[in-house]
Amino acid sequence: MKRLFIHNIFTVLGLLMSVSACTNNFEELNTSPTSPRNVPAEYLYSQAQLSGFLADGTNWWQVGSWVEQWASGSLSAPSQYLEDRDIYETNNWTSHYELIKNLAQIRNQVLKGQENSPNGRTKLAIAKITEIYFWQRMTDFWGDIPYTQAGLPDDQLVLLPKYDKQEDIYKSLIADLDAATAQLTATDVSYASADFVYKGDVTKWRKLANSLKLRLGMRLRYADPNLARKTVEEALKGPLIESNADNGAMPTVTQDGNPFGYHPTIGGYNGSKELNQMAAPFIDVLLAKNDPRLPRIAEPTENSKKAGKPIYRGLGVALGNSVIINRDDYSYGTIAIYNDRKSTFPYVFLAYSDNCFFRAEAALLGWGGLTPAQAEGFYQAGIRAAMQIQPYSIAESAITEYIGREGKLTGTVDQQLEQIMTQKWISLFMRHYEAFAEWRRTGYPKLIPGPNPGTTNGQIPRRGVYSSTERIRNAANYQEASSRMANGDSYLSKVWWDKR
């Protein structure tokens, strides 16, 4: 029933967007059928959720290879540490700002004036929390970006927006998140079924908002320790995502017959199998730890299966264009899951396991009244939660056995952090942007670059580059933003919070 609703609502939306104003009335002829006054907030919000949350799982050929979980070979320039602004970066930039535009329509036009009304207050708050989620992904990926002059009402439109500093963006996101969370009211009208994630459940949105605040705060740990601690400790006081039942997760539909709404990993796999081989560092860690998720993540190599002795083998990252490989000697994603166009399982974009690993880290630091002695318990809870979600659904006995081997935190505080972040890296499979951000923030796991020099002298990229359209259309502001970075607008420059 849920899948049918997703399909139907966007079929209607597609019809709305394709309606032709066939009328003799000139005013009606020149009135857009998709103007905000004709498109309910529910439609705009559903579209933003569908396009925005599922986008966390795309970009495996770029960000997924940078965190060395996928290996796209020579078919993807970014996976070889080569910039490709005209295709990858421009499309990525444009799609993200379209998300902001849709959400801005809700507050600037559709529900304008209803900020304190039961009919608009909570809808606006949920839309704002969603927008903050997307803004964090954008600034984490690019660094300084157009922010204060983006998403403005039509009468305040800035065609050539300035690039705000990431430090200022983060402070604004935290303040805006607090304000939006305070506006959530259980008795208000909400999005109901148009909210695919929580069906308008204000209690769960409050948990997600505080969990997002926890993530915002921890991201600043090495850039602004005081603000990081303050933000983390405030988040820990609020209700958080406390189980997998609270996870921020998008339901998905079968890929057959549906133009959108299917799981991004399934869509990517079916779109190009050659871009979906597993990276050697990821497979090697799973093998070394005898991780029970491995068969649910990777397929034994085709040639080893034919020989009757199946083995898992990952492909090296950034090997260069001159390297010739036989792809049947390397593991793809699990065929029964990711190559099944009828397969569906929720796409988790903010998880209980995230909070467990953040709490383990906070405990090591003694933040929020937690103690280092509590870190191990949170660490184990994170492993357990990550193994329980689909498509893994690991048996409890196997989870217990694994934690018995891998669940003990040992060594120095930094060595314990490395253990926590390695498990978090595994848990973030299919969530490429977040895996990339957490690797840059902490430096763990310790990833070794591939051999191809690309445009980075053989270093793993630290950020995405701006789109080519910005260099031309918004040249002055682009140049000003680029000049603030140590290595200009390149893969080698670091975003503000990236201090490790």
Side-chain angles (χ1 to χ4, degrees):
M1 190 66 184
K2 185 183 294 181
R3 287 180 286 174
L4 181 61
F5 172 76
I6 296 172
H7 179 68
N8 286 346
I9 191 171
F10 283 98
T11 299
V12 173
L13 180 58
L15 290 173
L16 276 173
M17 297 180 73
S18 64
V19 168
S20 173
C22 298
T23 174
N24 293 324
N25 186 294
F26 184 80
E27 181 180 356
E28 291 183 7
L29 181 65
N30 287 277
T31 299
S32 170
T34 60
S35 64
R37 72 180 185 181
N38 292 327
V39 179
E42 285 77 6
Y43 277 27
L44 291 169
Y45 184 66
S46 292
Q47 185 182 47
Q49 275 197 342
L50 193 65
S51 302
F53 288 136
L54 293 180
D56 260 15
T58 60
N59 215 342
W60 63 91
W61 39 262
Q62 181 185 42
V63 186
S65 68
W66 292 349
V67 294
E68 301 188 355
Q69 293 179 337
W70 298 97
S72 297
S74 61
L75 297 180
S76 165
S79 74
Q80 298 293 321
Y81 309 154
L82 293 166
E83 297 175 7
D84 194 330
R85 298 173 188 264
D86 293 334
I87 299 177
Y88 297 124
E89 304 296 353
T90 295
N91 290 342
N92 199 14
W93 180 274
T94 300
S95 64
H96 273 90
Y97 275 97
E98 281 296 317
L99 286 173
I100 300 302
K101 179 181 177 182
N102 282 345
L103 290 169
Q105 281 185 333
I106 295 175
R107 69 170 184 273
N108 293 334
Q109 294 169 298
V110 181
L111 297 179
K112 185 178 181 180
Q114 299 186 50
E115 294 81 4
N116 297 310
S117 163
N119 292 323
R121 179 173 48 205
T122 291
K123 286 182 180 180
L124 286 165
I126 291 173
K128 188 63 177 179
I129 293 165
T130 303
E131 185 178 342
I132 290 166
Y133 181 95
F134 297 149
W135 277 123
Q136 185 187 22
R137 185 170 71 205
M138 292 162 68
T139 188
D140 283 353
F141 188 61
W142 286 296
D144 298 353
I145 54 174
Y147 173 70
T148 55
Q149 294 182 344
L152 296 174
D154 288 346
D155 60 354
Q156 300 175 33
L157 185 65
V158 178
L159 294 177
L160 303 175
K162 69 175 184 178
Y163 284 60
D164 295 89
K165 294 180 180 179
Q166 186 180 57
E167 179 178 5
D168 298 331
I169 294 171
Y170 254 80
K171 291 176 180 177
S172 176
L173 293 179
I174 293 168
D176 288 350
L177 184 59
D178 285 343
T181 305
Q183 291 293 103
L184 291 170
T185 306
T187 56
D188 283 355
V189 175
S190 191
Y191 288 105
S193 295
D195 169 13
F196 300 143
V197 179
Y198 292 133
K199 298 293 180 283
D201 187 326
V202 169
T203 299
K204 291 194 173 184
W205 272 108
R206 185 169 283 108
K207 290 180 179 181
L208 184 140
N210 281 314
S211 300
L212 179 56
K213 184 174 181 176
L214 177 61
R215 187 171 84 176
L216 285 162
M218 199 60 85
R219 200 82 96 224
L220 306 182
R221 175 182 170 182
Y222 298 102
D224 190 337
N226 291 332
L227 179 59
R229 181 169 186 169
K230 176 179 180 294
T231 305
V232 167
E233 291 184 338
E234 288 175 354
L236 289 173
K237 291 178 182 177
L240 294 166
I241 292 173
E242 292 291 350
S243 72
N244 283 330
D246 293 334
N247 283 346
M250 280 287 292
T252 63
V253 299
T254 63
Q255 191 177 12
D256 282 344
N258 294 295
F260 36 64
Y262 41 79
H263 197 285
T265 307
I266 295 173
Y269 197 111
N270 283 278
S272 179
K273 188 178 180 183
E274 288 74 17
L275 289 173
N276 287 276
Q277 287 187 285
M278 309 311 301
F282 191 47
I283 295 298
D284 290 347
V285 167
L286 295 173
L287 284 169
K289 294 181 179 300
N290 193 21
D291 196 304
R293 286 167 290 192
L294 177 58
R296 307 291 290 173
I297 289 174
E299 190 77 12
T301 70
E302 292 297 315
N303 283 336
S304 72
K305 288 190 292 183
K306 291 176 183 177
K309 297 180 179 180
I311 62 169
Y312 296 94
R313 184 187 184 194
L315 177 65
V317 298
L319 297 177
N321 293 331
S322 61
V323 176
I324 299 174
I325 61 172
N326 181 350
R327 293 185 178 274
D328 286 345
D329 285 332
Y330 301 93
S331 293
Y332 295 100
T334 304
I335 292 174
I337 298 172
Y338 307 112
N339 199 41
D340 182 357
R341 296 173 67 92
K342 298 185 182 301
S343 178
T344 64
F345 53 93
Y347 179 74
V348 177
F349 59 86
L350 193 61
Y352 169 52
S353 59
D354 299 356
N355 288 350
C356 294
F357 292 128
F358 279 136
R359 279 172 158 166
E361 187 175 351
L364 289 180
L365 297 169
W367 288 3
L370 301 176
T371 67
Q374 294 175 281
E376 186 172 281
F378 292 127
Y379 171 63
Q380 293 180 359
I383 295 172
R384 185 178 301 278
M387 287 190 170
Q388 288 173 336
I389 63 170
Q390 293 178 283
Y392 311 126
S393 304
I394 303 300
E396 196 62 31
S397 59
I399 296 176
T400 299
E401 191 275 334
Y402 182 85
I403 290 176
R405 289 185 287 105
E406 298 291 334
K408 184 72 175 175
L409 289 178
T410 59
T412 66
V413 170
D414 213 48
Q415 287 171 332
Q416 292 179 58
L417 177 63
E418 182 176 6
Q419 287 180 259
I420 293 168
M421 295 310 301
T422 299
Q423 284 295 334
K424 190 170 190 179
W425 175 64
I426 298 171
S427 77
L428 291 173
F429 175 63
M430 295 188 284
R431 295 172 56 196
H432 312 121
Y433 286 100
E434 184 64 10
F436 183 47
E438 286 292 86
W439 169 73
R440 289 177 290 156
R441 179 179 72 86
T442 64
Y444 297 125
K446 296 175 181 177
L447 301 178
I448 299 173
N452 194 52
T455 56
T456 66
N457 296 319
Q459 298 180 56
I460 300 173
R462 306 297 295 199
R463 62 181 285 275
V465 293
Y466 299 131
S467 77
S468 61
T469 57
E470 281 293 290
R471 290 197 295 179
I472 299 170
R473 186 186 64 84
N474 196 11
N477 288 312
Y478 165 84
Q479 291 294 343
E480 198 274 333
S482 299
S483 70
R484 295 199 292 256
M485 292 182 279
N487 294 289
D489 179 27
S490 72
Y491 281 163
L492 289 176
S493 286
K494 292 185 176 183
V495 302
W496 165 70
W497 53 249
D498 184 359
K499 304 297 184 184
R500 295 280 278 180

